[in-house]
Amino acid sequence: MLVSGLMLLGLSLPTQAQVQLHGKMEQGALIRGETLPGTQVRLNDVDIDVTPDGKFVFGFERQAKLSQQLSLVYPDGLTQIKPLTISEKQYKIDRVNGIAKKIMKPDPKAQARAAKDSKQVKAARNTFSAQQAFSQDFIWPLTGRISGVYGSQRVYNGKPGNPHYGVDVAAKTGTVVVAPQDGVITLAVADMFYSGGTIILDHGYGVSSSFLHLSKLYVEPGQVIKQGEPIAEVGATGRATGPHLDWRINWYQMRLDPVTVVPDMASVLKKQ
């Protein structure tokens, strides 16, 4: 029986409302959900961790398939299958010139340093913790002009690079960056090869924020942080041509669009 996009296997009608999803059903989005405590949740072929009170989270990667499936097995053994239709996003091309040759073609020593940095970042993003900050409303870590968007294909000095996986907010060096949500610092390095001053803040259940190109760090690994607390200052360190904050959201290693978890920047600036 198909009812309102839900395939129910042995479920009574009232049980249909036992899952709620919050977020934009589009490529790059972070989706938060709520269901009955003790429910098993699966997205396609991936098992999703569920909090003791029934909250869960997952994401859709930059070029996620437009048709996906969420499966839920309730505590009584009954199963609900929910087809998900994802909107396709169009990504723009950004051209960035003036990147130093040593950055574009790093020497073996620099490549080894970049590989070490990458290993640290991946380990931090693979953290699982029982925090539930991910389920709460996020705020912008910095407000101002958005100078770079998620998913755009960047061309460095005429050579196509990897897509940009964050949102850039332009600001003067030394501008304070705050925590967009509660969490625990899992990485704080003052000078990574590509990202310069870098912080990763764990929000629980695989969700983390990354902050790149920082000029000064206020925090250290293991530190507990509250939403709105100052954590760093804007800079132009690493692979950057000017001062800005590159803010990123991850679900484990899946890189997602931060704007899917915060209010529209224009509305925030208007209120200010």
Side-chain angles (χ1 to χ4, degrees):
M1 178 175 65
L2 186 63
V3 182
S4 300
L6 304 181
M7 185 69 73
L8 307 175
L9 305 181
L11 293 179
S12 60
L13 192 60
T15 311
Q16 296 176 47
Q18 296 306 310
V19 60
Q20 297 182 28
L21 299 178
H22 310 283
K24 300 177 181 179
M25 289 294 163
E26 64 181 23
Q27 292 174 327
L30 181 74
I31 305 297
R32 273 83 61 94
E34 300 173 22
T35 187
L36 294 175
T39 299
Q40 298 175 38
V41 180
R42 190 176 180 86
L43 178 66
N44 303 316
D45 59 352
V46 176
D47 291 323
I48 305 297
D49 293 304
V50 181
T51 70
D53 58 350
K55 296 184 177 68
F56 60 94
V57 62
F58 59 87
F60 300 126
E61 60 188 356
R62 179 178 179 269
Q63 293 184 310
K65 293 181 179 179
L66 304 185
S67 295
Q68 304 202 29
Q69 179 176 283
L70 191 69
S71 303
L72 302 99
V73 179
Y74 290 95
D76 59 7
L78 297 178
T79 298
Q80 179 178 10
I81 298 175
K82 181 178 177 63
L84 303 177
T85 301
I86 313 304
S87 298
E88 184 175 11
K89 294 184 69 174
Q90 299 298 318
Y91 302 107
K92 73 172 190 174
I93 301 295
D94 284 334
R95 299 184 182 279
V96 182
N97 296 312
I99 301 296
K101 185 177 180 180
K102 66 179 181 179
I103 295 293
M104 292 301 299
K105 293 184 178 181
D107 59 34
K109 184 178 180 180
Q111 290 180 37
R113 178 185 166 197
K116 180 182 177 181
D117 292 345
S118 179
K119 186 175 181 180
Q120 291 184 76
V121 168
K122 287 181 179 179
R125 287 175 173 168
N126 209 40
T127 298
F128 173 86
S129 71
Q131 300 177 75
Q132 295 191 31
F134 72 86
S135 66
Q136 305 301 314
D137 292 336
F138 281 63
I139 62 172
W140 282 93
L142 176 69
T143 56
R145 180 177 63 86
I146 293 178
S147 57
V149 296
Y150 169 90
S152 57
Q153 184 73 42
R154 290 194 162 185
V155 179
Y156 295 100
N157 295 350
K159 182 179 179 180
N162 293 325
H164 182 47
Y165 286 110
V167 57
D168 293 340
V169 182
K172 295 181 179 179
T173 295
T175 305
V176 174
V177 177
V178 304
Q181 187 46 269
D182 296 353
V184 175
I185 301 297
T186 54
L187 181 76
V189 179
D191 185 24
M192 286 190 155
F193 183 71
Y194 284 109
S195 56
T198 303
I199 290 173
I200 295 182
L201 179 61
D202 171 43
H203 304 299
Y205 282 75
V207 178
S208 66
S209 284
S210 298
F211 312 89
L212 283 56
H213 308 303
L214 305 168
S215 61
K216 186 176 182 179
L217 282 57
Y218 299 164
V219 297
E220 58 186 25
Q223 188 171 339
V224 177
I225 301 296
K226 294 297 183 182
Q227 185 182 63
E229 183 177 346
I231 59 173
E233 294 178 8
V234 170
T237 56
R239 189 172 183 163
T241 56
H244 70 282
L245 171 67
D246 182 345
W247 174 37
R248 305 187 175 198
I249 287 283
N250 271 59
W251 178 54
Y252 295 109
Q253 302 303 329
M254 186 181 292
R255 292 170 285 195
L256 306 172
D257 190 349
V259 304
T260 64
V261 299
V262 285
D264 177 69
M265 179 67 86
S267 67
V268 175
L269 293 175
K270 185 176 181 179
K271 289 180 181 179
Q272 292 179 344

